[in-house]
Amino acid sequence: MNKEDVRDVYNRGRIEAYQSTQSKNCFDNCKYIAAFMGTNKTEALFIGMYEIIESVAGSEVASLMPEDYPYPEHFADDHIYYKMQKLDVMSDMDKKLVIDWEQATRSWFQWANNDKEVLSISNRNEIEFPGYEEMILSYADLGDIVDGEIRYRKWIEALKNVNGIYLICDTKRNKQYVGSTYNDDGILGRWTEYYKTHHGGDVDIKEHLRKYPDAYYDFQFTILRILPKNVADKEAIRVEGIYKNKLCTRNPEYGLNRN
C-alpha cells in the first residue's frame, strides 16, 4: 500500500483488475492464488482466494481494461491478463486475516511452500450502529461499509435509508466541508462517491486534493442532521446552507465550501 497506484486502485475498488494484469508470466503454472495486501512493514491482509481461468497476451490486454481504470499502462501490450474467479474458499477471512509475509517483502508473489505465521484475525462480531448523531467514520471505516463488510450490516442499512446534512473534516489540516444528500440511495450513496473518487465531484475538495493528494486518508465523516428519504433537493440545499453559515465553511481559511 505504499505504492501510490496500488493504493489508488485499492481505494477505488479496482484491486482485482490490478492483480489480473502482470508484466511477466508469474501465474502461468498456477491454478489458485491467495491474494494479500501489504499493510504495515511485513504484515499482509488477506483479500481473497482466486482461481486462474485463462490468460490473454498482446494487443487484447488493453481491451480488457475497465472503463474507469486510472492507469492504462497496467494494461499495456507487454502485459499478460489473467482471467480470475474469486472463490468462496476462506471468504469468511476476507479483510480479517493478517499474516506475516516475513522478510521477503520485495517479493510481491511467493509460492505457497512455506507456512506463514498468523498475526491476527479481526473480530467477526457485528458492530452495533451507534446512532446518526454519534457516528464518526474515518476514510478507512467508510471503505469497509462501502465494500459491504458484513460486520457493518446495520450501518449500511441505516445510511441507505435516510438523506441528510453531513460534515467532512480533514483532521490533519483543519478543513471542513458541509454537504447534503437527496437521492434514492441516501447518505450511503453519496458517501460511496467520496470513497471511490476521494472528492465526490466537489470543486473545492478537488482543489484541496490537488494541493494535498493524500489528504483523503485523513477525512472524517459525520452527520449533522437527518433528512427524510423523499426530501426535495431544494429543501436539502436550503438546510445545507444553514449549516454552512453555522460552521462558517465558506470561509477559505478553514472551510472547503465555495458557495
Side-chain angles (χ1 to χ4, degrees), residues 164-206:
I165 310 300
Y166 59 85
L167 179 70
I168 299 175
C169 293
D170 181 338
T171 57
K172 187 174 181 179
R173 297 160 193 87
N174 299 318
K175 294 283 189 176
Q176 298 185 131
Y177 178 89
V178 170
S180 62
T181 72
Y182 36 89
N183 62 72
D184 293 338
D185 295 320
I187 293 172
L188 181 61
R190 183 70 180 113
W191 283 6
T192 297
E193 295 178 34
Y194 285 110
Y195 181 73
K196 291 184 176 180
T197 68
H198 308 156
H199 51 69
D202 297 317
V203 175
D204 276 14
I205 295 183
K206 282 184 178 179

Side-chain angles (χ1 to χ4, degrees), residues 57-252:
S59 58
E60 291 185 59
V61 174
S63 66
L64 297 169
M65 184 179 74
E67 289 185 6
D68 59 348
Y69 194 83
Y71 301 97
E73 62 272 21
H74 294 170
F75 286 78
D77 291 354
D78 59 351
H79 280 53
I80 300 172
Y81 179 87
Y82 293 91
K83 182 179 178 182
M84 301 184 188
Q85 179 179 343
K86 191 170 186 179
L87 305 175
D88 289 333
V89 176
M90 289 182 63
S91 60
D92 60 332
M93 292 288 127
D94 283 8
K95 297 184 179 179
K96 297 180 178 68
L97 170 64
V98 178
I99 67 167
D100 185 0
W101 195 257
E102 300 174 333
Q103 297 306 312
T105 51
R106 291 184 180 274
S107 301
W108 54 268
F109 74 93
Q110 300 182 46
W111 288 97
N113 296 327
N114 303 311
D115 290 339
K116 297 293 185 181
E117 180 184 358
V118 173
L119 298 178
S120 67
I121 299 176
S122 63
N123 188 351
R124 304 182 203 172
N125 295 332
E126 188 170 341
I127 300 174
E128 288 295 324
F129 181 66
Y132 296 107
E133 293 184 355
E134 296 186 18
M135 188 202 71
I136 300 175
L137 285 176
S138 67
Y139 179 80
D141 293 334
L142 179 59
D144 287 337
I145 294 173
V146 169
D147 289 342
E149 166 65 69
I150 192 168
R151 293 178 302 152
Y152 285 93
R153 181 181 60 85
K154 292 180 180 178
W155 298 59
I156 293 169
E157 289 302 313
L159 293 173
K160 281 172 57 177
N161 290 327
V162 297
N163 280 302
I165 310 300
Y166 59 85
L167 179 70
I168 299 175
C169 293
D170 181 338
T171 57
K172 187 174 181 179
R173 297 160 193 87
N174 299 318
K175 294 283 189 176
Q176 298 185 131
Y177 178 89
V178 170
S180 62
T181 72
Y182 36 89
N183 62 72
D184 293 338
D185 295 320
I187 293 172
L188 181 61
R190 183 70 180 113
W191 283 6
T192 297
E193 295 178 34
Y194 285 110
Y195 181 73
K196 291 184 176 180
T197 68
H198 308 156
H199 51 69
D202 297 317
V203 175
D204 276 14
I205 295 183
K206 282 184 178 179
E207 188 174 312
H208 183 64
L209 290 175
R210 278 194 289 270
K211 189 174 182 181
Y212 307 104
D214 294 330
Y216 60 91
Y217 284 110
D218 303 308
F219 283 179
Q220 174 181 280
F221 297 80
T222 57
I223 296 172
L224 300 174
R225 179 168 168 178
I226 293 303
L227 298 175
K229 191 70 176 292
N230 62 351
V231 65
D233 54 356
K234 290 183 179 179
E235 175 61 12
I237 292 170
R238 183 191 71 81
V239 179
E240 175 187 334
I242 293 173
Y243 281 89
K244 288 177 180 177
N245 291 336
K246 284 184 175 183
L247 298 174
C248 302
T249 58
R250 292 187 178 97
N251 185 328

Side-chain angles (χ1 to χ4, degrees), residues 16 19 31-33 35 47-52 85-86:
E16 290 185 348
Q19 74 177 8
K31 182 64 174 174
Y32 303 100
I33 65 168
I47 59 172
M49 290 287 293
Y50 294 82
E51 180 180 2
I52 307 293
Q85 179 179 343
K86 191 170 186 179

